[in-house]
Every structure is written in C-alpha cells, then in structure tokens.
Amino acid sequence: MNKTDLIDHIAQQADISKAAAGRALDAVIGGVKGTLKKGGSVTLVGFGTFAVGKRTARTGRNPRTGDAIKIKAAKVPKFRPGKALKDALN
C-alpha cells in the first residue's frame, strides 16, 4: 500500500473526501515528524510507538575502493509495534 492507497482507504472508511483524507494524513505525518524532531516520542495505543534512536559514529569501508571512511553519528527514527498490532498479525 502506498500513500495514495492509504488516502483512498481513509476517505472510504471515514466517509470523507479524498482531499480531506489527504490533508488529515499529512497532518498526522507532520505531527509525528515535528515531535520526533524535538526528541520526543509518539505513542498510538494499540498501534505502536515512534521514537528517536541514536546511531554512534563508526568506521566503514568504501565498497568500491576498500578505503576506510568515517560515518558520522546520526539520529534515526524507530518504530516499536504495540501488542494489538502484533496480535492482529499472528
């Protein structure tokens, strides 16, 4: 499922227009991004938790030349599924 399919699904399930569903989805995604950018986490009970993880700096290898390169530390988004989501899949 891609973003367009998800918008169609939201519009049909909530009985709203596709434009309104698109705005709603963009608002949710924007809210999650904004909270993660501030270092917070977003918990949707029954679905899961979005949080920020930290990846430390490390040394890697250039696959083409084999030279060692330095990879900077980075913040990465993480998702931990909730119990209800796990149970729905099994």
Side-chain angles (χ1 to χ4, degrees):
M1 178 180 276
N2 60 27
K3 187 174 179 180
T4 304
D5 296 335
L6 187 54
I7 289 171
D8 292 342
H9 180 75
I10 292 169
Q12 183 179 18
Q13 293 296 315
D15 194 27
I16 58 176
S17 69
K18 288 183 183 180
R23 288 191 305 272
L25 181 59
D26 289 341
V28 169
I29 292 171
V32 171
K33 280 183 190 178
T35 301
L36 293 179
K37 196 169 186 177
K38 293 177 186 174
S41 65
V42 177
T43 301
L44 302 172
V45 176
F47 184 69
T49 302
F50 295 92
V52 178
K54 294 180 182 175
R55 189 179 299 153
T56 59
R58 62 194 190 281
T59 302
R61 295 259 172 219
N62 181 333
R64 185 175 295 167
T65 63
D67 294 340
I69 57 172
K70 292 182 180 179
I71 301 172
K72 296 188 291 187
K75 294 178 185 175
V76 292
K78 292 187 175 187
F79 176 74
R80 220 173 44 241
K83 185 177 183 330
L85 181 58
K86 288 180 192 176
D87 291 345
L89 300 176
N90 293 319

